[in-house]
Amino acid sequence: MTDLDSFITGLPKAELHLHIEGSLEPELMFELAKRNGIDIPYASVEDVRAAYAFSNLQDFLDIYYAGANVLRTRQDFHDLAAAYFDRIAADGVVHAEIMFDPQTHTDRGIPFADVIEGLLSGMAEAEAKHGITSKLILSFLRHLSEEAAFDTLAMAEPWLDQIEAVGLDSSEVGHPPVKFAQVFEAAHAKGLKITAHAGEEGPPEYVYQALDLLHVDRIDHGNRSLEDPDLVARLAAMGMTLTVCPLSNLKLCVVDDLADHPVDRMLALGLKATVNSDDPAYFGGYIGDNFRAVAKARGLDREAIVTLARNSFTGSFLPPKAIAEHLEKLDAYVEAQG
Ligand code: HPA
Ligand code: ZN
């Protein structure tokens, strides 16, 4: 490890863009398949990893939804979340806002209660064991209908006080934010915060729609905003957080090479970028790996890295007092590192 690598590892940070189903490592996939008596189309863990070569978002989503099929019981969802938090405890993560895709499970007959209660118990365990706080973001699948999203919101009703926000993920192109304007309005009326994937593969127009029609508090990815200078100026002026995912962008061919990744260009343009892992089991690394890889590929200095970590707290859904406390600890760490 270089000095910069160990500086990154110890730097306090929050993860704001993580699909918990995307943290399902092949080893756990095999264990759950065995536990639940499910056949999976892979002979070995190496075989699974070899299948993780994607040329676009849809390639990945097909394998990601198939992988989620081994998740059946409340215990499975607990174990999935617990494994994620155990892993990120070593990456300096002190807070995480994690997305889950209920429709991926309820459409297979898994009760919503088992999904969310399993995740919540994994989150509670992580706080007790590692001191990592966390929040849940319920993501709607955008390849399905708005009516299906309304059904999902209704299922979530008994747990609304334990859900921080709603999000929008899955196949972006052809499923613009406008398709979900009404369900996001309903979620907002229930007091939920709003995020949406926009500008990962979709055009800048989808980012405008996320702002104007969904009234997002954060944009997930947002890369293609850079094609539109007016949009960049607007996002910068409003201090909109972008949850950027470097290794995901590389694996899904949003960028051809990490050396071309725009994260430092975003910062230079005044955009509030953060670094996140998206689907770490599928994209070759957790949040620390994402920081280290993009820092190396782009030659980021400590100042840029600290800004990215600061943005992860100021862009979080934590209350102001908690944010201030995290920033104090971050500053103390940076000072102690010299
Ligand atoms: N984009 C869209 N949907 C997703 C992703 C992503 O990167 N990961 C999991 N669902
Ligand atoms: Zn994502």
Side-chain angles (χ1 to χ4, degrees):
M1 265 211 196
T2 66
D3 284 354
L4 190 65
D5 284 348
S6 57
F7 175 79
I8 288 171
T9 304
L11 183 66
K13 56 182 80 62
E15 175 140 72
L16 305 181
H17 185 158
L18 177 280
H19 303 265
I20 196 64
E21 294 89 348
S23 72
L24 177 62
E25 291 287 348
E27 288 80 0
L28 184 57
M29 193 188 291
F30 270 91
E31 194 183 317
L32 298 183
K34 189 168 166 211
R35 185 154 100 190
N36 293 324
I38 298 163
D39 276 332
I40 53 175
Y42 305 105
S44 65
V45 162
E46 294 70 37
D47 216 29
V48 183
R49 291 222 161 82
Y52 294 173
F54 315 112
S55 42
N56 55 41
L57 174 59
Q58 194 59 51
D59 260 8
F60 153 69
L61 290 171
D62 294 341
I63 287 192
Y64 161 82
Y65 294 130
N69 184 44
V70 301
L71 297 161
R72 297 286 168 97
T73 67
R74 194 171 290 213
Q75 184 70 43
D76 297 344
F77 287 94
H78 167 95
D79 293 353
L80 176 70
Y84 164 69
F85 287 109
D86 284 347
R87 175 63 188 76
I88 61 166
D91 272 354
V93 177
V94 292
H95 176 70
E97 299 184 353
I98 67 174
M99 285 179 257
F100 71 119
D101 290 339
Q103 290 157 292
T104 299
H105 315 299
T106 55
D107 285 2
R108 298 182 286 121
I110 314 294
F112 186 96
D114 288 348
V115 177
I116 194 164
E117 289 294 345
L119 295 176
L120 288 167
S121 79
M123 292 160 69
E125 184 183 288
E127 184 157 5
K129 189 170 165 190
H130 303 296
I132 302 174
T133 57
S134 57
K135 292 179 181 292
L136 267 183
I137 302 172
L138 182 163
S139 273
F140 300 120
L141 297 181
R142 68 201 303 160
H143 67 276
L144 302 178
S145 68
E146 186 177 49
E147 192 189 349
F150 267 111
D151 291 344
T152 304
L153 186 59
M155 276 182 215
E157 194 75 42
W159 290 274
L160 284 188
D161 58 338
Q162 291 169 93
I163 296 173
E164 185 70 17
V166 287
L168 186 64
D169 63 7
S170 193
S171 321
E172 187 180 7
V173 174
H175 303 284
V178 63
K179 180 176 164 187
F180 296 93
Q182 296 182 47
V183 74
F184 276 81
E185 192 183 328
H188 177 73
K190 291 179 189 295
L192 296 167
K193 299 229 171 43
I194 309 285
T195 78
H197 285 54
E200 180 184 21
E201 286 190 345
E205 168 61 19
Y206 286 21
V207 180
Y208 280 108
Q209 287 187 14
L211 295 174
D212 294 328
L213 304 177
L214 305 189
H215 308 290
V216 289
D217 297 293
R218 280 205 301 252
I219 297 274
D220 294 316
H221 296 295
N223 299 51
R224 289 195 61 193
S225 307
L226 294 173
E227 295 168 23
D228 184 329
D230 291 339
L231 178 57
V232 168
R234 181 169 167 195
L235 292 167
M238 70 195 297
M240 178 58 66
T241 300
L242 305 183
T243 63
V244 178
C245 307
L247 290 174
S248 165
N249 292 161
L250 180 65
K251 290 286 183 184
L252 300 187
C253 306
V254 169
V255 296
D256 293 332
D257 193 317
L258 216 49
D260 302 324
H261 197 276
V263 73
D264 48 313
R265 190 150 60 93
M266 289 171 165
L267 294 180
L269 288 164
L271 292 170
K272 197 162 133 188
T274 60
V275 166
N276 307 272
S277 69
D278 209 2
D279 300 282
Y282 292 88
F283 300 150
Y286 286 77
I287 185 169
D289 303 304
N290 273 271
F291 265 95
R292 287 186 292 269
V294 81
K296 181 160 186 255
R298 293 295 307 158
L300 302 186
D301 58 14
R302 276 196 189 199
E303 194 187 335
I305 288 160
V306 171
T307 299
L308 292 163
R310 287 188 80 81
N311 290 349
S312 75
F313 293 116
T314 59
S316 75
F317 294 140
L318 285 167
K321 185 165 172 282
I323 292 175
E325 287 167 4
H326 282 302
L327 292 177
E328 253 176 54
K329 287 185 192 154
L330 184 153
D331 289 340
Y333 174 84
V334 173
E335 192 166 330
Q337 293 289 307

